[in-house]
Amino acid sequence: MLKAVILIGGPQKGTRFRPLSFEVPKPLFPVAGVPMLQHHIEACSKLPNMKEILLIGFYQPNEELNRFLSCTQQDYKISVRYLQEYAALGTGGGIYHFRDQILSGSPEAFFVMNADVCSEFPLPEMVDFQKEHGDAYSFVILGTTANRKQSLNYGCIVENEQTDEVLHYVEKPSTFVSDIINCGIYLFTPEIFQHIGAVFQKNQQDMLLEEQSNGWHRAEVIRLEQDIFTALAGQGKLYVYKTDRFWSQIKSAGSAIYASRLYLNQYHQTHPERLATNREGGPKTRGKFLVELGPNVSIGTGVTIGAGVRVRESIILHGATLQDHSCVLNSIVGWGSTIGKWARVEGTPSDPNPNDPYAKIDSETLFRDGKLTPSITILGCNVNIPSEVIILNSIVLPHKDLNRSFKNQIIL
């Protein structure tokens, strides 16, 4: 029997996803037409002996999350539950806090995944790999190859090339360590809780030695990467399964467009029914006019698109309206927003270097040299763009009625 745990974080995380995360928790933001988390759940549900999927985070339960849980349980015929942390406990603290829930039913192993990654999720291969390598007490990290410079932004893994054992693990090193990086997807056996428990006890002892412990420094705050993997490396217990399939982080809104492109390309093999075609039940057109959509465009329900509209490399969310001859490039158009006739909304893509097969998407800072870093354009919900204006490389917060063009600005 297998289980899966998806770490979804909480509201003070995902700040780089604003203003989109004002309306919907980041893990429920639609990527390639479905909530980000649904890709993880679908991959888990395909494993024949997967019995339960647990979401762990510190979001307050809300109607949107409850509706998502209900729908996914019905769609995938598998138990999906949300366990709320009392505070941010770190990637290891959350699973240790809910260890009884994870271990109920005595699973042989369980996956742990970060919600903010997109991947082909080679989960069956990881299960087979664990059986082939090491014993029943070994743990598996999913790894992939990055270029030397970008590897410094991730957890780096030094492996034994013959056995795939992890010999050394460093989280975001200051100098080059290895070009194999941690993908944030793990396969553990229940024995992992002994190692996490040892760190928990050490944290408790350290707190007792401190005369005044800070309120935020709880013994339960444990990080898998720094506290567990670093200690386990070189002990014959930790292995890396390397994948050459697609993988990317989804830290910012710009990376959501790139992730959407990766999933849309995958849909040709896995979900052709999710791609727009001229079929019954598909999008309806009224009148005869030319609209050019694509490549890599995701359009939500209830979107109205006028004649002569051009959309490329963008996500158009539920209820938006693109009036005649408007142009949307490298942008996210928020729920219920309107773009006027002949208006142009354009951003700068933050794609990886196409000439480097190991390049990953850069996590750009919002500002560079005191100026807004050129990135995709984001319109929050219910934004109105007038006719014949240009919005370039800008972020527009919700419920704004603009009256002129803007470039490289955050419009509060």
Side-chain angles (χ1 to χ4, degrees):
M1 180 179 113
L2 291 171
K3 288 193 179 187
V5 176
I6 305 174
L7 306 175
I8 68 173
Q12 64 256 47
K13 305 289 182 183
T15 53
R16 281 181 280 181
F17 226 74
R18 293 174 182 167
L20 302 168
S21 54
F22 289 152
E23 310 303 321
V24 63
K26 177 184 167 183
L28 298 185
F29 181 80
V31 175
V34 301
M36 196 186 297
L37 274 178
Q38 189 168 326
H39 298 285
H40 299 62
I41 292 172
E42 182 179 318
C44 292
S45 69
K46 289 178 179 175
L47 287 166
N49 49 350
M50 178 64 67
K51 287 292 179 278
E52 185 175 45
I53 299 169
L54 301 173
L55 313 182
I56 295 180
F58 49 102
Y59 287 99
Q60 289 292 332
N62 56 57
E63 184 183 343
E64 195 136 23
L65 188 56
N66 292 336
R67 187 164 57 244
F68 172 76
L69 293 173
S70 174
C71 290
T72 50
Q73 288 192 94
Q74 290 175 2
D75 292 345
Y76 298 106
K77 307 293 186 289
I78 192 168
S79 169
V80 184
R81 292 191 294 137
Y82 174 53
L83 305 175
Q84 185 188 358
E85 299 170 310
Y86 64 91
L89 298 178
T91 49
I95 63 172
Y96 187 68
H97 185 74
F98 291 111
R99 60 193 179 279
D100 291 343
Q101 300 273 1
I102 296 169
L103 295 177
S104 70
S106 303
E108 300 152 26
F110 61 96
F111 285 95
V112 174
M113 312 180 196
N114 291 333
D116 58 357
V117 298
C118 86
S119 172
E120 279 195 45
F121 297 107
L123 307 186
E125 293 88 337
M126 290 178 72
V127 172
D128 294 339
F129 177 87
Q130 187 189 43
K131 290 174 182 173
E132 293 167 10
H133 288 70
D135 52 27
Y137 302 112
S138 61
F139 316 121
V140 181
I141 300 176
L142 181 66
T144 191
T145 305
N147 62 37
R148 288 178 68 97
K149 181 182 175 184
Q150 289 181 317
S151 68
L152 305 181
N153 301 323
Y154 301 90
C156 293
I157 300 165
V158 179
E159 64 155 352
N160 180 322
E161 292 185 2
Q162 279 73 46
T163 64
D164 298 308
E165 183 197 342
V166 177
L167 302 176
H168 188 49
Y169 184 91
V170 186
E171 184 68 18
K172 296 179 181 172
S174 54
T175 57
F176 177 76
V177 171
S178 168
D179 59 2
I180 302 171
I181 61 169
N182 176 1
C183 291
I185 300 171
Y186 318 116
L187 179 57
F188 294 143
T189 58
E191 201 209 13
I192 192 69
F193 291 118
Q194 294 179 21
H195 300 283
I196 300 176
V199 173
F200 174 65
Q201 289 176 347
K202 180 180 178 298
N203 287 353
Q204 279 187 317
Q205 291 168 355
D206 291 345
M207 285 180 69
L208 290 173
L209 293 173
E210 294 177 13
E211 291 183 358
Q212 287 184 326
S213 64
N214 294 321
W216 59 268
H217 185 212
R218 296 181 175 88
E220 274 200 284
V221 177
I222 299 169
R223 303 159 301 178
L224 279 176
E225 300 80 9
Q226 292 96 323
D227 298 328
I228 307 300
F229 295 159
T230 304
L232 284 176
Q235 293 187 17
K237 295 180 182 294
L238 195 59
Y239 292 83
V240 57
Y241 174 75
K242 297 189 296 296
T243 180
D244 55 3
R245 302 188 202 173
F246 78 77
W247 176 88
S248 183
Q249 284 186 321
I250 311 178
K251 295 292 187 187
S252 64
S255 55
I257 290 182
Y258 178 63
S260 183
R261 181 199 307 170
L262 296 175
Y263 280 134
L264 287 172
N265 289 336
Q266 187 190 31
Y267 281 176
H268 289 286
Q269 284 76 45
T270 59
H271 285 288
E273 76 284 356
R274 289 183 185 169
L275 299 173
T277 54
N278 295 321
R279 58 185 165 82
E280 197 170 331
K284 297 286 187 295
T285 59
R286 294 175 186 164
K288 293 183 179 179
F289 51 80
L290 179 66
V291 173
E292 192 172 350
L293 304 178
N296 306 316
V297 171
S298 173
I299 295 177
T301 56
V303 171
T304 303
I305 297 178
V309 168
R310 175 74 176 104
V311 186
R312 189 182 75 214
E313 298 283 354
S314 296
I315 296 174
I316 315 297
L317 296 169
H318 169 79
T321 299
L322 312 185
Q323 295 182 356
D324 296 356
H325 306 290
S326 57
C327 180
V328 180
L329 311 173
N330 301 300
S331 300
I332 296 179
V333 178
W335 301 267
S337 292
T338 300
I339 298 175
K341 295 180 180 180
W342 295 100
R344 186 181 185 94
V345 175
E346 184 174 358
T348 300
S350 51
D351 294 355
N353 179 358
N355 300 315
D356 181 352
Y358 301 123
K360 304 292 180 246
I361 198 161
D362 278 319
S363 296
E364 287 280 5
T365 54
L366 199 55
F367 294 94
R368 190 196 300 149
D369 301 327
K371 297 179 182 176
L372 187 66
T373 306
S375 185
I376 68 159
T377 289
I378 305 169
L379 307 184
C381 75
N382 297 311
V383 169
N384 287 316
I385 306 294
S387 299
E388 300 179 24
V389 302
I390 298 175
I391 308 298
L392 183 64
N393 298 336
S394 295
I395 299 172
V396 186
L397 267 66
H399 309 290
K400 295 286 177 282
D401 289 329
L402 305 189
N403 55 15
R404 62 180 179 86
S405 297
F406 288 92
K407 177 183 178 182
N408 298 331
Q409 292 192 44
I410 298 178
I411 300 153
L412 302 172

